[in-house]
Amino acid sequence: MKSVILSATARFLLPILFMFSLFLLVRGHNLPGGGFVGGLVAAAAFVLYAIAHDVEEARRLLRANTISLLGVGLLMALGSGLLSLVYGKSFMTGLWYHHHVPVLGKVGTPVVFDIGVYLVVLGATLTVLFTLLED
C-alpha cells in the first residue's frame, strides 16, 4: 500500500535534503561537516524516496550504479593522497590551489578527498539499504 502523504513528502524533501548534503560537503573542508555526513544525508534522501515509491524508481532517479559511486569515490580519495607523493611530500599532505574559487573558497586535495568520501558513503549506504529494501 502506497501512502499519498509519504509519496508527496518524499518528492518534496528529496531535493532539499540533497542540496543540504551538498552544503555539508562544501562547508566541510573548512568547518564541521564534510564528505561523511554529507553522504549520509544524501543517502537518507534517496532511501526515503525508495520507501515512498520503489527501489527501482529511486535507482532510476540516482542515475548511477551504487557500486560505481563507491569505486569512483575510493579512486578520488586515494588519488588525492597520492598526488602529494608526486610533489615529493608525505602521503595525504594537503596541496592547495592558490587562487580563490567562488562558492568553494580555498580548493585543494582535501576537497577532492571529501568528495571521494561523500561518494563512498553514498554508494556503500545505498548499496546496503537498497538491497535490504528490495526484499
Side-chain angles (χ1 to χ4, degrees):
M1 182 175 109
K2 291 196 175 196
S3 169
V4 176
I5 295 171
L6 181 61
S7 176
T9 303
R11 208 176 357 237
F12 174 73
L13 284 178
L14 179 75
I16 294 171
L17 287 171
F18 192 70
M19 285 189 304
F20 182 61
S21 78
L22 292 177
F23 167 75
L24 289 172
L25 172 66
V26 170
R27 178 179 181 260
H29 69 279
N30 289 328
L31 298 168
F36 186 80
V37 69
L40 285 177
V41 171
F46 282 103
V47 168
L48 175 65
Y49 192 85
I51 290 170
H53 294 91
D54 188 12
V55 174
E56 286 307 314
E57 196 169 330
R59 285 185 193 273
R60 262 184 271 128
L61 186 64
L62 183 61
R63 294 185 184 168
N65 185 356
T66 55
I67 300 295
S68 298
L69 287 175
L70 204 153
V72 169
L74 281 174
L75 287 175
M76 286 181 75
L78 180 64
S80 71
L82 292 176
L83 193 59
S84 60
L85 293 176
V86 172
Y87 286 95
K89 300 190 185 255
S90 300
F91 180 67
M92 295 294 286
T93 300
L95 302 173
W96 297 95
Y97 181 66
H98 296 291
H99 299 289
H100 181 77
V101 177
V103 177
L104 293 177
K106 258 177 110 174
V107 178
T109 53
V111 177
V112 177
F113 180 79
D114 270 349
I115 294 170
V117 170
Y118 179 91
L119 293 175
V120 167
V121 170
L122 179 63
T125 306
L126 288 181
T127 298
V128 171
L129 293 176
F130 281 174
T131 302
L132 289 173
L133 286 173
E134 284 175 343
D135 292 340

